[in-house]
Every structure is written in structure tokens, then in C-alpha cells.
Amino acid sequence: MSGRVLPVLLLSLYLAVGWVWSQGSPQDAFIIQYMERRLAQIEERLNQCEQSTVGVTQKTYDLSSEIRGYLSTLNVVRSEVKGQVDSVSERVERVERELEYLENKIPGQTDIEMEEALLEQQIEAAQLDLLKKKAEIKMDIDCHTALSQIKSLKIVQRAGDIYGSWFKDPSEGSAKIYLLSGIRNNTLLEYVSLHSFTERTSTLPAKVVKLPSHWQGTGHVVYNGFLYYHKADTPNQILKVELLNGTVVDSTLLPGAGRLPVYSLNPNTYLDLAVDELGLWVIHADPEYGGNLVITKLDQRTLAVEYTWDTQCRSHDAEGAFLICGTLYVVYNTRSGGRSTIQCLYDIHDTIHSGESPVMFFPKRYTSHSSIHYHPGEKQLYAWDDGYQTVYKVETLRSDQVTAE
């Protein structure tokens, strides 16, 4: 509309200006100049108006396109919501059918009482089975031996790191010495005898056994040709490795173990395996019992748990422990490395108690043990003493002869 009006208006004004100009008077010339200025202003305003109109038209078009996009999205959302509503409706119907089915299947009060009675019988049977296993452990071997004195100390060698463990295979007829240096590795050294271990010029060097995975801590044992150790990077997994070929033959996860170190003075060991006259054991600490030590009897063939005992022996200030004939002896020390003493014991046969046994001192050597292993055949302790491999000779008595000082 403005495109047609503007030419017509300008044409009319130019005709008027031309008519006035033809009259030729000075006053008319002034009027003509004034009208020309006004025409120029009107033309400029009309151009601005036209540009504004074009801008508004473009914005209106853009807004219309945006609204069409929103409408398309709204249609999609509406379709999705409708599909979800239909799906929920189907699920509600399915739940109603299942509830109706369960209502028909719920047993009556009598059936529930019968199931509870059966469950109680099963629990009682399981408890009796555990008691039988405990009795079998007690009666399988006539074991009435108790530690009476740690008699002497012999420093055998100094090899490896400050922390480590060394021991003999306590099975009958075995003379081999085993050494595991450090708190984490996958290498075991096997010597044919103690003489071969002590003689650096021996013609029979150590056999290096590469294990299938790293071990952690210092609580390892060799028993009947198998190495039992805590697998590194696991809280409570025990591996059984055949030393002839270095392969894993069995493993187990020890319930409740691995949540804190066994001994506060030996913080890298979470599972401490031990062997005595009764077989294979694991010593560990349980935070649910105030950090006190727990001993678990394992089947050496299958690694199945035979029985577990909670002791009153604390883990705090302990550096190691060992078992003799089913009795746990806990070794304590100071953080500065004082003289080691046995201040707590726990007897699974309940024949001797800590209060009836005097505190026993290790021979004077003011260091700290990172591992202590008992050899039931030799009545000796194989200890790792600040990097030194040492042997302690122990004396034992019948447990019924142990009296308080």
C-alpha cells in the first residue's frame, strides 16, 4: 500500500512545485525550497516506515515457524505420553492379575507355623553338626601339650628384607626350607635343607618358584608340599598352590576376615596361617569383637572351614602369634621394638587359661618379629626378626601340669 501511495504523493507535490516555480516570484522560490525540504523529510520517514514494516513481517514469519516447530514437538510428546499411559495401564492390569494369583497361593497360618518349626529343626541340626566338628577336632589327636618356656635363640642367617617369613614344611620327613622376602611378591625360594640355606657356597642353590599371583603380608605356610598364602589385592582370599608345578589347586574366601590387620605392630598382614599338631589354621582379627583375634580351623585338603573360635586376646600391640596343640599364643611388643613377650593364650580344649599361665619372655633381643611359625615335629619357632632368620627352641609340658606362678 505504501509503495503505491508514495509515488502518487510525490508526483502531486512535484506538480505543485513546478506550477509554483513557473510563476517566478522570490516569495514563491522560498516556498519551493521549504516544500522540497519537507518532501525530503517525508520521503525519509516513509522509507523508515517501509523498513520497519519489512522487519515486523520477517519477525512474524520467524515466530510462525517457531510455533509450527513447537506444535510438531508437542504432537510427538503427546504420542509418547499416550504410549506410556497405555504401557502403565497394561502393567497395572498385570499386577492386579499377579496379586490375585498370590492371594490364592499365600499359605495359611498353619502352614507358616509348620515351616517355622522345620526351620528351627534345621538350625538345631546345623548347631549340632558344628559341635560334632569341634568334638572331632578335640578328640582326633590326643593333644595335651602346652608351652612352658622359650629356651634359646639361634640367629641362622640374615637374608632378604626387614619383613618376611621363613619356615620348614612341618610334614613328616621334610627337610626343605622356604623363604618369602618382603610383604608383597610372587617369588618363593626353596632350599633342600637348613645347611643349604646357611652355606652361601653350597653347590645346591635355592630353587626359585614363581607363584601364579602375588602374596600379601608375612602369614604364609608350606604344608605337605603345598603353599598356603593370602592373595594380594583381595581382602580374605587364601590360595593353595602345589609347589611341584606352581599351580593353584584350590582357594577359599575366609568369612569375616581381612577387614583389619591381624596384629597392630605388623600392619601389612591380614591373614596369618599356621600349622600345629592338629593341622592348618588361620589367625585373623575381627572388628565386631573389638579387634580381638579369631582362630579358624581349615581342612588342609579342601580349605573348608571346620570351626571358628573368638578369643579374648587383643590385636593391639601384638606382633605375631602361633599355635601349639590347639592353643593360641599371642606375642606382644612395643612400637619401638622392645623385648617380645607372650601375654595371652587361648585353648580350644578349655583346659588352660591366660590367668593360669605366667607371662613368657623371648630370649633377650630387642627387635620385633614380622612372622613366627611353629614346627610341631622339632618343637621350634622359625621367626623373622628384623631381617634376621632366627630359631627359638621351646619346651612344652602336659597342659594339666601348667600352673600359675
Side-chain angles (χ1 to χ4, degrees):
M1 179 68 178
S2 61
R4 292 194 300 270
V5 171
L6 180 60
V8 173
L9 180 60
L10 292 175
L11 179 60
S12 301
L13 290 173
Y14 280 122
L15 291 176
V17 170
W19 179 81
V20 173
W21 185 265
S22 62
Q23 300 300 318
S25 65
Q27 186 177 3
D28 294 339
F30 175 77
I31 293 173
I32 290 172
Q33 292 177 356
Y34 171 77
M35 293 182 68
E36 286 178 348
R37 289 195 301 270
R38 295 296 296 173
L39 284 173
Q41 293 175 357
I42 292 172
E43 185 177 3
E44 183 179 356
R45 290 182 180 180
L46 287 174
N47 289 332
Q48 291 177 356
C49 182
E50 186 175 5
Q51 291 175 1
S52 298
T53 303
V54 171
V56 171
T57 304
Q58 183 64 39
K59 289 181 179 179
T60 303
Y61 176 79
D62 293 342
L63 179 61
S64 176
S65 299
E66 188 174 354
I67 291 174
R68 285 196 299 270
Y70 286 147
L71 290 175
S72 177
T73 303
L74 182 61
N75 290 331
V76 173
V77 172
R78 183 175 58 185
S79 300
E80 292 178 353
V81 171
K82 184 176 183 301
Q84 293 177 359
V85 170
D86 294 340
S87 176
V88 170
S89 178
E90 293 177 359
R91 292 180 182 178
V92 170
E93 293 178 358
R94 187 183 305 115
V95 169
E96 289 177 348
R97 292 195 300 269
E98 291 177 353
L99 288 174
E100 183 178 356
Y101 173 78
L102 290 175
E103 288 176 355
N104 296 329
K105 291 294 183 179
I106 291 177
Q109 184 65 29
T110 304
D111 295 334
I112 294 175
E113 292 176 354
M114 292 178 62
E115 290 180 0
E116 289 179 349
L118 179 60
L119 181 61
E120 291 178 358
Q121 292 177 1
Q122 291 175 346
I123 293 174
E124 291 176 358
Q127 292 175 342
L128 289 174
D129 185 54
L130 287 176
L131 291 175
K132 288 179 180 178
K133 287 183 178 179
K134 183 176 180 180
E136 288 174 1
I137 294 172
K138 289 183 177 182
M139 300 178 61
D140 187 33
I141 297 176
D142 184 15
C143 206
H144 299 286
T145 300
L147 177 66
S148 62
Q149 184 182 3
I150 303 171
K151 188 174 182 181
S152 61
L153 161 70
K154 179 182 179 182
I155 300 176
V156 177
Q157 183 71 279
R158 184 174 189 179
D161 296 338
I162 296 177
Y163 304 100
S165 59
W166 78 299
F167 38 76
K168 269 188 177 181
D169 184 346
S171 56
E172 187 176 355
S174 176
K176 293 181 178 180
I177 295 290
Y178 298 92
L179 185 142
L180 297 95
S181 178
I183 57 175
R184 180 188 175 98
N185 209 324
N186 67 337
T187 300
L188 175 143
L189 299 181
E190 178 186 281
Y191 299 86
V192 295
S193 65
L194 184 60
H195 177 76
S196 174
F197 172 64
T198 56
E199 293 295 329
R200 295 182 180 274
T201 60
S202 174
T203 57
L204 295 174
K207 176 185 176 182
V208 179
V209 180
K210 287 295 184 181
L211 303 176
S213 60
H214 283 66
W215 39 261
Q216 176 177 339
T218 60
H220 333 291
V221 294
V222 171
Y223 193 27
N224 290 325
F226 295 94
L227 172 67
Y228 300 83
Y229 69 93
H230 178 194
K231 182 181 179 182
D233 301 320
T234 68
N236 58 354
Q237 185 174 7
I238 299 172
L239 297 185
K240 178 181 179 181
V241 176
E242 186 173 3
L243 293 179
L244 289 177
N245 52 25
T247 59
V248 177
V249 296
D250 214 336
S251 68
T252 188
L253 298 176
L254 188 64
R259 288 178 286 178
L260 74 164
V262 190
Y263 318 110
S264 66
L265 299 184
N266 194 359
N268 299 298
T269 300
Y270 287 77
L271 303 176
D272 189 13
L273 291 109
V275 175
D276 72 349
E277 293 83 353
L278 299 180
L280 182 64
W281 300 82
V282 184
I283 309 167
H284 58 97
D286 194 333
E288 294 183 2
Y289 294 94
N292 287 350
L293 298 185
V294 177
I295 53 176
T296 298
K297 182 72 174 59
L298 295 181
D299 186 323
Q300 65 180 24
R301 296 165 299 174
T302 64
L303 296 182
V305 173
E306 294 183 358
Y307 200 80
T308 296
W309 290 265
D310 303 319
T311 79
Q312 79 283 4
C313 297
R314 69 187 190 280
S315 170
H316 183 66
D317 288 338
E319 66 176 14
F322 56 91
L323 287 109
I324 298 178
C325 214
T327 300
L328 175 72
Y329 297 89
V330 186
V331 182
Y332 294 92
N333 208 322
T334 63
R335 293 192 178 276
S336 59
R339 190 176 177 185
S340 301
T341 59
I342 296 175
Q343 302 178 24
C344 186
L345 62 85
Y346 180 85
D347 179 20
I348 66 168
H349 307 288
D350 202 28
T351 57
I352 55 176
H353 305 87
S354 290
E356 300 172 355
S357 178
V359 173
M360 282 176 276
F361 289 85
F362 279 71
K364 287 186 178 181
R365 180 169 173 79
Y366 292 91
T367 53
S368 181
H369 301 98
S370 63
S371 65
I372 304 172
H373 294 285
Y374 172 65
H375 192 292
E378 298 176 353
K379 297 293 188 282
Q380 294 187 140
L381 300 175
Y382 286 78
W384 194 288
D385 187 359
D386 197 27
Y388 290 90
Q389 292 75 49
T390 61
V391 175
Y392 295 97
K393 190 71 178 178
V394 300
E395 288 187 351
T396 59
L397 296 172
R398 284 185 58 87
S399 56
D400 54 8
Q401 297 177 343
V402 178
T403 57
E405 287 186 345

